[in-house]
Amino acid sequence: MTDSAATPPTGPGAGASPTGAWRTRRRRRWLRNAAIGVALLVLAAGGVGWVAYDKLNGNITADEDAATELARYDKERPTVLVDGAQNLLLIGSDSRAGDNGKYGHNDGTQRSDTTILLHVAADRKSATAVSFPRDLMVDVPACHRSDGSQIEPMFAMFNYAFEVGGSACTIRTVEKMTGVRVDHHMVVDFQGFKNMVDAVDGVEVCLDKPIDDKDAHLKLAAGRQRLDGEQALGYVRARKTLGNGSDTDRMDRQQRFLGALATKMQSSGVLLNPAKLYPVLDAATSALTTDPGLASLRGLYDLVRGMRDIPADRIQFLTVPRESYVYNANRDQLIQPAADRLFTRIRTDAPVTVAKETPAEVRAESRQGDDSSDESGMSDEGAYDEDDGDYGYSEDYEDYEDDGKPGAHGPGGKGPSPSPTPTFRGNTAAQDACG
């Protein structure tokens, strides 16, 4: 019996040769099977991609309480002056809860160890990061605690706002001080910071001398050093064994480190390489508590997409102009009108220039009127101790006249039209760590 299924057909017509209908059918079966295989691979890859996306998306914690609190005071908040510009408040929490317990006693509270206002220009050609000293004396508006009780307005240290009222109170304090509308905010803790640094395989810094700081869990040799997450955390938090012991020096070091981190992510192709980007995103999203608008990969992507092409020399870091507080040399106050000049530039999306040294104009406006303040506002001794609990607030709040609404007077007003680009003490992400 002939097995017709296994024998190529013969005879006239299309199937008369070995390249006829039999091979045509075989080729079609191969293409069909290949297509099914490719489809399965696509589905598998898509499944992995979706699992990864879903995991990263679920990592982020939405700060719904802050959103509710800010909505309550929306009429008091500044208006947006320039469409397209973005203002993001970055808050580093010193919470000792959970895995952060090894960095100190967990007293159930948290303070803003670092606070930076990041302004991204509307044309996405520059970004300016402004640090606020945690011991800067400011007007803290009426805020609600987590238990729903209300605190009255007071004149207090800046990081008091975060301890008593969380991120919403900190945002409103910054807005009241600067007149700048905060569009988004992020809160990151010690573990999150460490994970971010480890995800990019460390960040290089330059040390003038060896460091052996038991409080900061840090021991390093002099010269160029690549720091892992644990070492990086100690480096940006150390004060007693680095520099002059002031909070100013610590903020300068934090800014240089963040610049080096930004450069590392750009130069190593992290943002363009999915294999490198995923661990960074996993570390970043696991560490973040953000406003609802950023609490998704889509929200973060839209933010990062607008920043990834900014040149390193146009990513600038500076600290708000300040000097020693007139009633307590271990606290800070703003240098005016230099601070208002800076806030006006940010509000109106006008350019800002930074230099390594404090400009003479700012020094002249300082209360001291000489180099003694160095725009730092901190003496080498008696600097604020994060564990002393002394916020130096004044119960005589009525002595500081302000109705709490931007536009009334001072930094909350729109101010004059931007003048020629002013210069402030700071640095850029392009500066070499050992430069």
Side-chain angles (χ1 to χ4, degrees):
M1 181 175 175
T2 302
D3 187 356
S4 60
T7 305
T10 60
S17 71
T19 59
W22 181 78
R23 290 199 172 183
T24 299
R25 287 195 298 271
R26 188 172 67 176
R27 183 166 60 251
R28 286 173 179 169
R29 283 198 302 270
W30 183 89
L31 290 173
R32 183 174 64 250
N33 292 337
I36 292 172
V38 170
L40 289 173
L41 286 174
V42 170
L43 288 172
V48 172
W50 172 252
V51 169
Y53 179 90
D54 194 48
K55 178 182 185 300
L56 295 175
N57 215 43
N59 282 347
I60 309 169
T61 301
D63 196 348
E64 299 288 356
D65 290 342
T68 300
E69 178 77 352
L70 292 172
R72 178 181 295 160
Y73 293 98
D74 190 62
K75 291 183 179 179
E76 297 180 6
R77 301 183 65 193
T79 56
V80 175
L81 298 184
V82 180
D83 290 337
Q86 289 279 305
N87 296 300
L88 173 71
L89 195 66
L90 307 172
I91 303 172
S93 167
D94 70 354
S95 169
R96 266 65 171 188
D99 292 338
N100 295 316
K102 69 177 182 178
Y103 301 109
H105 173 65
N106 179 19
D107 59 4
T109 65
Q110 58 179 343
R111 296 185 283 264
S112 52
D113 197 58
T114 301
T115 304
I116 297 173
L117 178 63
L118 176 64
H119 173 77
V120 182
D123 62 8
R124 298 302 187 263
K125 293 181 179 179
S126 66
T128 302
V130 181
S131 295
F132 294 91
R134 56 189 182 181
D135 44 10
L136 182 69
M137 300 301 295
V138 298
D139 289 325
V140 178
C143 296
H144 287 85
R145 294 185 174 90
S146 58
D147 63 4
S149 62
Q150 182 170 317
I151 63 166
E152 295 302 315
M154 66 173 60
F155 190 68
M157 283 177 57
F158 178 73
N159 67 353
Y160 176 74
F162 190 72
E163 181 181 8
V164 297
S167 52
C169 194
T170 301
I171 290 169
R172 293 183 57 232
T173 299
V174 169
E175 290 183 341
K176 182 177 178 63
M177 177 181 12
T178 66
V180 175
R181 175 86 175 208
V182 174
D183 302 297
H184 299 289
H185 72 275
M186 295 181 179
V187 182
V188 61
D189 64 12
F190 295 155
Q191 292 296 325
F193 176 82
K194 287 167 47 180
N195 293 341
M196 276 288 294
V197 175
D198 286 335
V200 297
D201 196 26
V203 174
E204 186 178 84
V205 300
C206 192
L207 304 176
D208 294 333
K209 59 183 180 180
I211 301 173
D212 188 0
D213 191 323
K214 293 181 180 179
D215 291 338
H217 306 278
L218 189 64
K219 187 173 184 178
L220 297 168
R224 288 186 182 273
Q225 302 290 337
R226 187 170 69 177
L227 308 186
D228 62 22
E230 187 72 44
Q231 293 169 324
L233 180 63
Y235 176 75
V236 299
R237 298 192 69 241
R239 191 167 62 191
K240 297 177 181 178
T241 57
L242 287 173
N244 60 16
S246 70
D247 206 37
T248 295
D249 193 78
R250 190 179 71 122
M251 283 188 294
D252 288 347
R253 192 164 61 252
Q254 290 172 348
Q255 292 167 1
R256 290 194 299 271
F257 184 87
L258 290 176
L261 176 60
T263 300
K264 175 71 176 287
M265 294 186 68
Q266 287 183 335
S267 62
S268 63
V270 170
L271 299 179
L272 301 177
N273 186 329
K276 292 182 178 180
L277 183 59
Y278 180 81
V280 176
L281 286 176
D282 190 30
T285 54
S286 297
L288 290 181
T289 298
T290 77
D291 62 278
L294 283 185
S296 67
L297 280 184
R298 171 58 62 184
L300 290 175
Y301 173 75
D302 289 342
L303 176 68
V304 174
R305 181 179 58 180
M307 297 181 60
R308 65 185 178 187
D309 295 327
I310 298 177
D313 63 351
R314 296 300 299 151
I315 302 176
Q316 303 179 122
F317 297 88
L318 64 149
T319 301
V320 63
R322 80 272 186 226
E323 62 188 351
S324 296
Y325 178 45
V326 64
Y327 298 115
N328 185 341
N330 298 319
R331 303 290 179 261
D332 288 351
Q333 65 184 24
L334 296 175
I335 294 178
Q336 296 293 10
D340 277 356
R341 243 189 342 263
L342 173 61
F343 300 151
T344 297
R345 305 297 291 191
I346 294 174
R347 268 199 310 275
T348 57
D349 197 32
V352 170
T353 300
V354 297
K356 286 187 177 182
E357 302 300 327
T358 303
E361 181 181 17
V362 175
R363 289 201 304 268
E365 292 169 351
S366 168
R367 177 176 55 84
Q368 286 88 346
D370 56 29
D371 291 342
S372 62
S373 70
D374 191 30
E375 202 187 352
S376 69
M378 289 295 295
S379 62
D380 291 352
E381 298 179 358
Y384 167 69
D385 186 339
E386 62 188 27
D387 296 319
D388 69 8
D390 178 11
Y391 289 93
Y393 64 84
S394 170
E395 298 292 350
D396 299 324
Y397 180 82
E398 57 272 15
D399 292 341
Y400 302 90
E401 298 178 359
D402 199 320
D403 63 3
K405 295 184 179 180
H409 65 277
K414 290 185 178 180
S417 299
S419 56
T421 307
T423 300
F424 299 90
R425 180 175 175 271
N427 59 82
T428 74
Q431 291 179 212
D432 184 82
C434 291

